[in-house]
Amino acid sequence: MFQRALRLPTYVLGPAAALALAVGCRRGTPVSADRYDPARDLGPLFHDVQLSGIFADSKTFVDARPRLAPAAIVARYASSHGAAGFSLQTFVEQNFELPRPVGEGFRTDTSQTVGEGFRTDTSQTMEQHIRALWSVLTRPPDTADERSSLIPLPNAYVVPGGRFREVYYWDSYFTMLGLIESGRTDLVRNMLDNFAYLVQTVGHIPNGNRTYYLSRSQPPFFAAMVGLYARATDTTQALRYLDALEAEYAFWMDGAERLGPAQVYRRVVQLPDGSLLNRYWDDRADPRPESYRADYEVAQTLPAAQRDAFFRNVRATAESGWDFSSRWMRDPKDLRTLETTELIPVDLNSLLYHAERTIAALRAFRRGAGDGEAAARLTQAAESRRRALLAAAYDPVSGFFYDVRWKSGERVTDRPTLAAASPLYFGLATPEQGRAVAARLERDFLKPGGFATTLIASGQQWDAPNGWPPLEWLTIEGVRRYGRADLADAARDRWLALNRRTYRSTGRMTEKYDVADPTRRAGGGEYPTQDGFGWSNGVALALAAQQGRATAALQQ
């Protein structure tokens, strides 16, 4: 019965979803020949530029637009780079249009200068500033450009900001929280339509709408986005996304039907008892083009035989959204010990449980031919996943959820993280488990500025002392769902106080915050902390509105 339920997406798809599955859910999603892929199309030039240090951030070059056909530039490089006095930097500047950060020069008036050319009106509230930022972060429908790594989208969308010049999958859910609070359900619908378009055209929702992101996805929040939109409008509006939801689910479950006990294929893991859960994955085993230099240089310190596995784990970690964190590292001080593909992540499986429940609910609501049977199968799949995840990931001794090594069944109890809040947010945990997890979160993770991501200060950006807006939201609302409104309100108020303090002193909303020392700017990771910032804006607006309603209720 469980096996049949997991084959569901391959035989209940509507026409649009069936097309998406046909084009995208085979062995990987190759970049088609008509899309510009810098790493492929620039050959040795790409390698040389990325390792040269011309750009501090490898993402700059993959976002640059060739002024000529890539083949012509490659030919130019081959004939000229050996000449005396050749300057690689000059060559790049002559042959490529370099990208600029999103929001560069944004100003609300000229009252105060903050940083290079960034001006802000310090008389504005944080909320006013965020609402003014929506237009800065919104991109109009794209025009196809064969010389750009950008995958064009047919509708307007919101980007995070800074170096992140394209839409990002899981970011968008948290951005949408603020868009809905701002009355912009029209923009939420545009973004959902774009994600459905990506499912239909490439077979899944990639990390972002760039060709170099096509081999992986990100935490699958599409079903949660649809639910968010449905609650803000009406349930019938969600039905338009049912085919895309089913096709995306098929992408994550690809290969489930061919597995035996203790086997894996791409993103699916079958446990020894026959239960199926999921892991993060990437179809490629080479350096990420947008982080090429960092990946390549670390890999050179490994024996050649170990490099493919390292690249695969780096990419799978990027799919998780937590790039990088001690969560994924056997040795929190050594990035080379990433074991992401060996782990069953508690948050990923909570998301897929929610997707199964959402698809079942929409099928039941539609009541078309075969919908009742399909709804029953997905409901059973969700319940089977819930039982398997609770058995594998919950440790009754410590009262907490952990990622699990699928080969041994061992819980990663030495590296607790805020991922443990996901079973609370999506309602998988039992009442007793929810209370125990909330108590541990309060005792160990709650800091002066909100919840810390982990308890390990490794220097990686998804570790202590940093707090991240998406995890703050999931944790705050997760503990609230399990009866800890007091803890939720305390964490919310600390986080908003930190956001407002940072805004008053810098005029900016940043992608992450130091929750241990609210006076210190968050750091760590491969690039400087970015400003903008989509999900920070969305979570701050949603929590501020919630806080305002609570205050008003007390005053009545």
Side-chain angles (χ1 to χ4, degrees):
M1 182 66 179
F2 192 46
Q3 288 283 341
R4 291 199 300 274
L6 284 173
R7 295 193 191 100
L8 173 62
T10 65
Y11 63 76
V12 299
L13 299 177
L19 171 62
L21 185 60
V23 301
C25 289
R26 298 190 185 95
R27 175 61 178 163
T29 306
V31 179
S32 62
D34 60 346
R35 290 193 175 109
Y36 170 57
D37 175 25
R40 178 195 66 194
D41 295 343
L42 298 179
L45 172 61
F46 179 83
H47 177 83
D48 293 348
V49 170
Q50 294 292 55
L51 294 188
S52 69
I54 292 175
F55 303 114
D57 184 351
S58 292
K59 192 174 185 302
T60 302
F61 191 50
V62 290
D63 291 356
R65 182 184 183 276
R67 299 181 190 274
L68 305 173
I73 295 176
V74 170
R76 279 187 177 185
Y77 181 66
S79 64
S80 64
H81 78 279
F86 175 82
S87 168
L88 182 59
Q89 181 169 348
T90 300
F91 181 88
V92 170
E93 291 172 351
Q94 290 175 342
N95 288 279
F96 294 86
E97 299 171 13
L98 302 183
R100 304 302 306 175
V102 175
E104 183 180 53
F106 168 68
R107 63 192 67 190
T108 51
D109 82 344
T110 58
S111 62
Q112 179 184 346
T113 300
V114 182
E116 297 181 1
F118 190 102
R119 297 178 184 271
T120 185
D121 180 356
T122 54
S123 69
Q124 281 197 328
T125 65
M126 178 186 72
E127 292 87 338
Q128 290 170 327
H129 174 75
I130 291 172
R131 288 187 170 91
L133 271 173
W134 290 137
S135 61
V136 177
L137 299 176
T138 299
R139 292 288 167 268
D142 296 312
T143 301
D145 184 348
E146 64 181 6
R147 293 183 191 165
S148 174
S149 62
L150 191 74
I151 300 170
L153 296 176
N155 303 287
Y157 55 93
V158 177
V159 302
R163 74 195 284 270
F164 300 108
R165 294 170 275 260
E166 48 284 310
V167 79
Y168 281 80
Y169 181 6
W170 80 306
D171 293 57
S172 296
Y173 174 71
F174 303 96
T175 300
M176 288 174 181
L177 295 170
L179 290 174
I180 287 173
E181 201 60 51
S182 302
R184 295 301 310 274
T185 55
D186 59 319
L187 193 46
V188 173
R189 175 164 171 159
N190 283 340
M191 294 171 73
L192 286 171
D193 287 347
N194 284 338
F195 287 138
Y197 167 81
L198 286 168
V199 172
Q200 184 174 357
T201 55
V202 304
H204 66 287
I205 301 173
N207 188 147
N209 60 317
R210 292 279 181 182
T211 56
Y212 53 78
Y213 285 146
L214 280 171
S215 61
R216 64 176 182 266
S217 185
Q218 268 195 329
F221 272 88
F222 188 39
M225 294 178 198
V226 170
L228 189 67
Y229 179 64
R231 288 190 295 276
T233 54
D234 64 78
T235 306
T236 60
Q237 295 298 315
L239 288 174
R240 64 190 278 113
Y241 303 110
L242 181 55
D243 282 354
L245 284 167
E246 291 183 327
E248 194 209 18
Y249 180 67
F251 164 80
W252 283 94
M253 299 307 299
D254 179 43
E257 70 283 351
R258 72 187 68 182
L259 295 179
Q263 291 184 343
V264 296
Y265 179 73
R266 298 185 76 201
R267 292 166 177 84
V268 188
V269 178
Q270 184 169 118
L271 301 181
D273 66 359
S275 302
L276 280 104
L277 293 170
N278 288 76
R279 64 173 177 171
Y280 290 115
W281 179 254
D282 189 301
D283 288 315
R284 298 181 63 171
D286 49 20
R288 294 167 297 157
E290 76 282 4
S291 298
Y292 188 89
R293 183 179 180 182
D295 290 357
Y296 181 87
E297 289 181 345
V298 173
Q300 295 309 297
T301 68
L302 289 167
Q306 297 178 20
R307 291 173 189 169
D308 281 0
F310 170 72
F311 291 137
R312 182 89 67 192
N313 276 298
V314 165
R315 286 170 164 273
T317 309
E319 182 170 85
S320 81
W322 293 44
D323 46 343
F324 293 97
S325 170
S326 60
R327 176 185 181 186
W328 311 114
M329 297 153 61
R330 284 268 186 172
D331 178 351
K333 297 179 181 179
D334 190 348
L335 191 66
R336 298 174 301 176
T337 65
L338 286 168
E339 59 172 343
T340 313
T341 61
E342 303 299 315
L343 299 179
I344 295 170
V346 64
D347 47 358
L348 171 59
N349 285 282
S350 297
L351 279 159
L352 289 170
Y353 164 84
H354 178 72
E356 289 160 344
R357 292 287 302 270
T358 299
I359 296 169
L362 290 174
R363 282 282 197 160
F365 180 83
R366 189 172 64 180
R367 296 183 180 179
D371 281 342
E373 294 83 354
R377 288 192 293 269
L378 262 296
T379 299
Q380 177 60 42
E383 179 57 24
S384 296
R385 182 186 298 275
R386 188 188 73 86
R387 289 196 301 265
L389 184 64
L390 296 189
Y394 185 73
D395 177 35
V397 175
S398 59
F400 211 65
F401 287 101
Y402 301 93
D403 299 327
V404 179
R405 294 187 176 101
W406 57 263
K407 288 182 180 178
S408 66
E410 176 189 10
R411 301 183 188 106
V412 188
T413 57
D414 61 326
R415 305 198 300 270
T417 77
L418 283 191
S422 291
L424 279 62
Y425 187 79
F426 292 108
L428 284 78
T430 66
E432 295 76 16
Q433 291 170 345
R435 287 192 292 270
V437 169
R440 175 79 181 278
L441 291 169
E442 181 178 29
R443 183 180 75 243
D444 294 342
F445 289 82
L446 185 61
K447 306 299 178 184
F451 289 109
T453 303
T454 72
L455 304 180
I456 297 173
S458 68
Q460 300 295 340
Q461 63 174 349
W462 287 85
D463 272 322
N466 290 343
W468 288 79
L471 303 184
E472 300 299 319
W473 175 264
L474 295 173
T475 306
I476 289 169
E477 295 309 299
V479 300
R480 188 185 304 281
R481 181 170 186 165
Y482 281 77
R484 288 300 309 275
D486 60 324
L487 174 58
D489 291 348
R492 175 198 66 202
D493 295 347
R494 293 185 189 192
W495 178 255
L496 286 174
L498 174 57
N499 287 180
R500 290 188 173 112
R501 182 184 298 110
T502 304
Y503 170 68
R504 285 194 302 269
S505 64
T506 68
R508 303 186 180 197
M509 302 296 295
T510 60
E511 64 171 335
K512 57 183 180 283
Y513 294 81
D514 186 323
V515 296
D517 182 352
T519 66
R520 187 171 56 197
R521 186 175 174 90
E526 298 176 321
Y527 56 84
T529 297
Q530 300 294 295
D531 301 322
F533 194 85
W535 62 18
S536 304
N537 302 341
V539 170
L541 275 188
L543 290 177
Q546 183 190 95
Q547 186 184 59
R549 289 190 292 268
T551 301
L554 288 174
Q555 293 172 347
Q556 289 179 353

